[in-house]
Amino acid sequence: MRASNYRLAYVLLQLSVVVELIAAILAIYDQQTTELSSISIAACLLRCWRQLFNTQSLNYRPCHSSVTPVSLPFLKSLLSCPEILMTSFPFRSCSLVVTVYTLVLFANNSTAGEMPSLPVEVLIGPTEPAPEEAPDPGPLRTPFAVEFDSQNRMWIVEFDGGRVLLCEPNDFSAPRVIAGPESATAPNALGYVDGPARSARFNKLHNLVIDSNDVLYLSDHANHSVRRLMENEDGKWGVDTYAGNGKRGPAPDNVDRRDATFHEPISVTLDAKENRLLIADIGNQVIRSLDLSSGMVSIIAGQKTKLKDPRAVDLDGERKLLVLERNGNRLRRVESNGDITTLAGSGKKGTADGDAKQASFNGPKHMDVAPDGRVYIADDVNHLVRVYDPETDVVQTLNLGDYTLRRPHGVCVRGDQLYIADSFNHRILRIPLPAK
């Protein structure tokens, strides 16, 4: 729909309100009681107009237009008014019919619809756009996450392969194993071993975060630990257990990292100032904070308001903590007072786009927040990447054209590009960020 049609709809709606008010005033002045229905019509229109500008329900924005968003609650208010449904309209109200028709088209052509197709580039792994069967592992085996360090090197962690790999800047042809076994199919590929990086062993790595000194923190979830990978002065890489002890345990509050226990720490990220490591302790259903100066581990979410399988953590543009719930199928935010609000997701399984709180996910696994505030979500069981826009309060599905995903577990925004760990297609994809 053209932007001019949206503008016309708004103009017509305003005119219909004004005309009805004028008619009502004239009816009272002339004591034409048969025309007093205009008062109720005008009142109803004004109620609907206020609903339109209720900032809590501005959910839709016209495509490629700068017109103010409109909400479906407004349409519901408009069409549910008994004054409108039961009153015989005089001729002056015919513009209202055009307005409603245009607004219905407006909603149907909102950003909740399909996004434009984005070009897809396969950086590592099978190049067939949509494999019918799961391909065999190649250079990678179930990559679950991708991140970049300060030197623009791309790092990848594998779930089944148990390896941490490195790609030099803009060279994805030969990912190099830095930690873990050389072969992802080696019989001893998984385990729990600290020490020199190539001798180290991990058990079902899920994601990683890299600080400004290029120290890597790894969520080694089946070892119930947070592992650290860092390079020494001699240029050799080593692995140690930064928090946890390799055994499953509860989540005691305010405990030293060396004494802390976890139950499948499944996602890690850093706060904006790199003072704290934020950990999704999914088995204990809480989010924990590890102070990198004192080494103390505390619980910051999940006690006051319960979480349902907190799978990933990140920070939004206001530095508030975002939590992605795997079995809760929701994106939630921890407020400054400790309350937890739902940003997106009805809690039901599904693929519905549109109004954020009515949208649905199915086992979302990871997220990354872009500089413009949009949240990109690896919607694992749906085999999709979704995007939540806090400005419009809408969820959409990225359109990858001919390419299909197989249980994506990781997303990473880097510059104006989005990197996707297409986990069970054993590959890394890159696409441009969609235009707003």
Side-chain angles (χ1 to χ4, degrees), residues 144 309 311 324-329 348-352 360-366 377-386 397 404-410 421-424:
F144 261 38
D309 284 358
R311 175 57 178 80
L324 191 63
E325 292 181 324
R326 181 179 64 186
N327 286 328
N329 295 300
K348 299 178 180 179
K349 295 179 180 180
T351 60
S360 54
F361 305 94
N362 193 355
K365 295 295 170 63
H366 189 244
I377 298 170
D379 194 2
D380 167 29
V381 185
N382 282 330
H383 313 287
L384 301 172
V385 173
R386 318 289 291 283
T397 298
T404 59
L405 305 175
R406 195 181 302 274
R407 300 192 60 194
H409 274 69
D422 187 7
S423 303
F424 288 84

Side-chain angles (χ1 to χ4, degrees), residues 65-123:
S65 170
S66 59
V67 181
T68 305
V70 69
S71 64
L72 287 179
F74 164 70
L75 286 177
K76 293 177 182 177
S77 297
L78 185 65
L79 296 175
S80 64
C81 286
E83 297 90 346
I84 288 179
L85 295 176
M86 300 175 62
T87 303
S88 177
F89 286 111
F91 174 78
R92 62 180 176 274
S93 296
C94 67
S95 64
L96 180 61
V97 177
V98 179
T99 300
V100 173
Y101 177 76
T102 308
L103 286 172
V104 169
L105 289 178
F106 181 102
N108 289 337
N109 288 272
S110 69
T111 56
E114 184 173 320
M115 301 182 76
S117 178
L118 298 167
V120 178
E121 183 181 3
V122 179
L123 301 182

